[in-house]
């Protein structure tokens, strides 16, 4: 019974990928490569992302208190929206019931410190633990994005991403926007994870979410994760986890462990390639030396493909959206070609935060789901994140 309820939710979400009707009447899909968008300003820039510190020396249950007490109001609003949505899909209220009753009983299956950290987030926000867990699971499964690592002519690496989130979770007809994307923006934070008052790694994240989708370990590596749609999709892993087959790692807990523990690009690559996971994913990894960048295409159990920079062949960047790089993207969701066109036009000689921001500001690479843009550079230790918007006319994804 329990499993039935959850499995009904998921297929509607998957089907929505194929629903092209929304996109058909919302021109224009694309625009010419932007230029001069940096430093960020104008209607596609919604503000800077503020910084918080999380001390890994504190007990896991207390680490997030400050951040969550600051962000409690917008977090409550988002969770309420997700709860309302679940209740409108399942008017019996059963789904929320399951989430509130069953998920918390499974928290003990999560590795430390993630179990205690989620309890801490629940304590600080007053939100039931099951809903905090669901909120964390959501990002594992519904993140659509564009990530790129490019090497300039001097050999320096730039790693950047647009985080697009909120697809399938409700289109706001009046506002012509994705409700959840709107509700997420106030939750975006940069977090410095510190030990002994020294920053070990940093991330752009959402308050209440303890895994990592976008992160940098200064001097060592940069890492982003994009969702990979697959028949053997995230929801199957989540379901299996719920019903007790709990072998795989949550992807964003893996990325966090890699940022915390890996001491080299090679070690990170190895961990990201070999650890069994709950759902398929793309990991986009950058190192600290010329040539060190790759896209790892993962199934739940193994590494399907590793695509590395290849300067000899003129491949000075790797770019990943949400499709296997050796296959064409879905026709209704081609962010890859426009991004490549603009990168090619920029050329390796002129690659920088400014020109990468231009690429990530060009529709449809920038779209209505785009919540933030983060740019990272190991060589000059820079990490910048900006809140984004895509005012009409703009493609929904
Ligand atoms: C964002 O930060 C930059 C640099 O610190 C500052 O110049 C700018 O005014 C800030 N913009 C907003 C909207 O806060
Ligand atoms: C539309 O968005 C505005 C601001 O983002 C918000 O105040 C308003 O409640 C939204 N309208 C609806 C119908 O949700
Ligand atoms: C960009 O350049 C790469 C490498 O030269 C080439 O394979 C690709 O087709 C180009 N893509 C676009 C969209 O121009
Ligand atoms: C390099 O990029 C900058 C924008 O940052 C632009 O103003 C400039 O014209 C570009 N230079 C070349 C040679 O394309």
């Amino acid at each position: 019974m329990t499993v039935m309820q959850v499995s009904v939710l998921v297929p509607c979400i998957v089907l929505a990928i194929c629903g092209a009707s929304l996109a058909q009447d919302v021109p224009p899909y694309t625009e010419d490569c932007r230029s001069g968008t940096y430093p960020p300003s104008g209607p596609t820039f919604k503000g800077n992302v503020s910084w918080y510190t999380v001390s890994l020396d504190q007990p896991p249950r207390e680490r997030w208190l400050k951040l969550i007490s600051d962000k409690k109001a917008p977090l409550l609003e988002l969770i309420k929206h997700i709860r309302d949505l679940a209740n409108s899909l399942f008017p019996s209220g059963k789904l929320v019931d399951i989430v509130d009753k069953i998920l918390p009983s499974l928290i003990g299956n999560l590795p430390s410190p993630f179990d205690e950290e989620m309890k801490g987030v629940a304590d600080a926000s007053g939100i039931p633990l099951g809903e905090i867990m669901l909120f964390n699971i959501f990002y594992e499964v519904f993140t659509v994005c564009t990530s790129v690592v490019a090497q300039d002519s001097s050999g320096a690496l730039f790693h950047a991403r647009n985080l697009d989130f909120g697809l399938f979770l409700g289109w706001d007809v009046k506002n012509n926007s994705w409700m959840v994307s709107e509700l997420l923006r106030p939750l975006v934070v940069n977090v410095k994870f510190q030990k002994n008052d020294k920053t070990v790694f940093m991330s752009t994240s959402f308050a209440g979410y303890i895994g990592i989708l976008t992160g940098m370990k200064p001097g060592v590596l940069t890492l982003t994760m994009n969702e990979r749609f697959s028949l053997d999709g995230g929801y199957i892993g989540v379901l299996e986890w719920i019903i007790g087959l709990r072998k795989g790692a949550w992807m964003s807990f893996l990325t966090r462990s890699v940022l915390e523990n890996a001491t080299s690009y090679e070690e990170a690559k190895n961990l990201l390639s070999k650890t069994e996971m709950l759902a398929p994913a793309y990991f986009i990894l950058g190192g600290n030396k010329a040539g060190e960048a790759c896209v790892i295409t993962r199934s739940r159990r193994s590494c399907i493909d590793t695509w590395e920079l290849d300067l000899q062949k003129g491949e000075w960047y790797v770019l990943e959206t949400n499709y296997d790089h050796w296959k064409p993207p879905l026709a209704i969701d081609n962010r890859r070609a426009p991004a490549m066109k603009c990168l090619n036009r920029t050329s390796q000689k002129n690659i920088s935060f400014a020109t990468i921001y231009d690429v990530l500001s060009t529709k449809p690479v920038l779209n209505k789901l785009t919540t933030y843009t983060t740019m990272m550079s190991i060589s000059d230790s820079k990490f910048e994140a900006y809140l984004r918007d895509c005012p009409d006319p703009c493609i929904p994804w």
Side-chain angles (χ1 to χ4, degrees):
M1 185 56 189
T2 307
V3 173
M4 284 283 296
Q5 291 284 354
V6 181
S7 66
V8 176
L9 171 68
V10 179
C12 351
I13 292 163
V14 173
L15 283 177
I17 299 170
C18 311
S21 58
L22 248 180
Q24 273 162 4
D25 38 330
V26 192
Y29 299 153
T30 56
E31 62 185 348
D32 212 23
C33 300
R34 300 290 309 272
S35 65
T37 61
Y38 184 93
S41 66
T44 67
F45 171 55
K46 291 289 264 194
N48 297 318
V49 177
S50 45
W51 282 96
Y52 284 84
T53 299
V54 166
S55 167
L56 298 170
D57 299 319
Q58 275 189 311
R61 200 152 178 164
E62 289 160 28
R63 288 174 187 169
W64 296 94
L65 281 181
K66 164 84 178 95
L67 197 165
I68 298 301
S69 57
D70 278 13
K71 295 289 185 181
K72 189 171 165 174
L75 183 58
L76 283 169
E77 238 185 289
L78 176 62
I79 298 265
K80 177 178 179 304
H81 176 71
I82 294 177
R83 196 187 297 138
D84 290 349
L85 202 76
N87 280 334
S88 68
L89 287 171
F90 299 97
S92 62
K94 281 249 168 59
L95 186 66
V96 170
D97 242 31
I98 289 167
V99 165
D100 284 345
K101 292 202 183 109
I102 312 245
L103 285 184
S105 69
L106 300 173
I107 187 105
N109 297 301
L110 288 178
S112 171
F114 304 115
D115 51 349
E116 286 293 304
E117 288 191 16
M118 280 202 233
K119 286 182 195 164
V121 171
D123 292 346
S125 60
I127 295 167
L129 178 59
E131 291 173 34
I132 294 296
M133 293 169 76
L134 184 68
F135 176 77
N136 276 269
I137 290 171
F138 262 135
Y139 295 97
E140 301 274 317
V141 196
F142 301 119
T143 312
V144 205
C145 346
T146 303
S147 290
V148 59
V149 188
Q151 180 172 318
D152 73 7
S153 309
S154 75
L157 295 168
F158 297 88
H159 189 158
R161 78 117 92 247
N162 274 359
L163 191 293
D164 304 348
F165 185 85
L167 190 51
F168 322 131
L169 294 179
W171 176 259
D172 181 341
V173 177
K174 266 206 213 112
N175 275 4
N176 216 7
S177 64
W178 295 98
M179 249 338 253
V180 172
S181 306
E182 297 292 313
L183 292 171
L184 271 176
R185 220 172 270 124
L187 294 175
V188 179
V189 288
N190 287 328
V191 182
K192 283 181 183 148
F193 292 84
Q194 297 193 329
K195 271 185 196 157
N196 299 320
D197 295 326
K198 270 194 62 188
T199 298
V200 185
F201 57 102
M202 58 216 353
S203 75
T204 306
S205 191
F206 298 107
Y209 179 63
I210 62 173
I212 289 186
L213 300 169
T214 306
M216 170 162 116
K217 181 163 194 163
V220 182
L221 61 90
T222 53
L223 177 59
T224 56
M225 184 185 102
N226 291 5
E227 173 180 13
R228 178 165 179 254
F229 304 117
S230 157
L231 285 181
D232 181 20
Y235 55 92
I236 293 180
V238 171
L239 269 182
E240 285 188 0
W241 186 79
I242 289 173
I243 63 177
L245 299 167
R246 297 168 198 117
K247 264 194 297 181
W250 289 31
M251 292 78 73
S252 61
F253 294 173
L254 175 60
T255 52
R256 195 175 134 182
S257 315
V258 165
L259 282 159
E260 185 164 346
N261 302 315
T263 55
S264 70
Y265 173 75
E266 286 304 328
E267 186 185 350
K269 197 161 93 179
N270 195 39
L271 284 167
L272 294 168
S273 302
K274 300 203 171 135
T275 309
E276 184 167 330
M277 306 188 303
L278 282 183
Y282 300 103
F283 294 120
I284 302 88
L285 177 68
N288 60 8
K289 285 198 268 313
E292 288 186 342
C294 64
V295 174
I296 298 167
T297 300
R298 279 292 314 262
S299 71
R300 294 171 50 210
R301 292 194 179 81
S302 63
C303 174
I304 293 175
D305 179 79
T306 306
W307 176 27
E308 312 242 14
L309 280 186
D310 189 342
L311 278 296
Q312 242 107 56
K313 278 203 243 152
E315 291 180 4
W316 54 274
Y317 63 84
V318 287
L319 175 105
E320 181 55 55
T321 58
N322 298 92
Y323 304 95
D324 296 345
H325 69 87
W326 60 93
K327 292 182 192 157
L330 264 191
I332 57 157
D333 180 27
N334 191 352
R335 287 159 286 135
R336 183 201 292 166
M340 287 180 77
K341 181 182 80 178
C342 299
L343 281 166
N344 288 1
R345 199 177 287 180
T346 302
S347 87
Q348 191 186 8
K349 283 196 287 293
N350 203 20
I351 209 75
S352 64
F353 272 14
T355 51
I356 288 178
Y357 193 82
D358 285 340
V359 174
L360 294 177
S361 301
T362 300
K363 295 173 206 168
V365 183
L366 180 77
N367 58 68
K368 290 238 176 234
L369 291 170
T370 307
T371 311
Y372 67 77
T373 298
T374 296
M375 301 188 290
M376 307 178 276
S377 154
I378 288 276
S379 56
D380 46 13
S381 221
K382 279 204 302 192
F383 185 105
E384 295 181 6
Y386 302 100
L387 298 176
R388 304 308 304 265
D389 193 12
C390 192
D392 288 324
C394 179
I395 186 166
W397 63 74

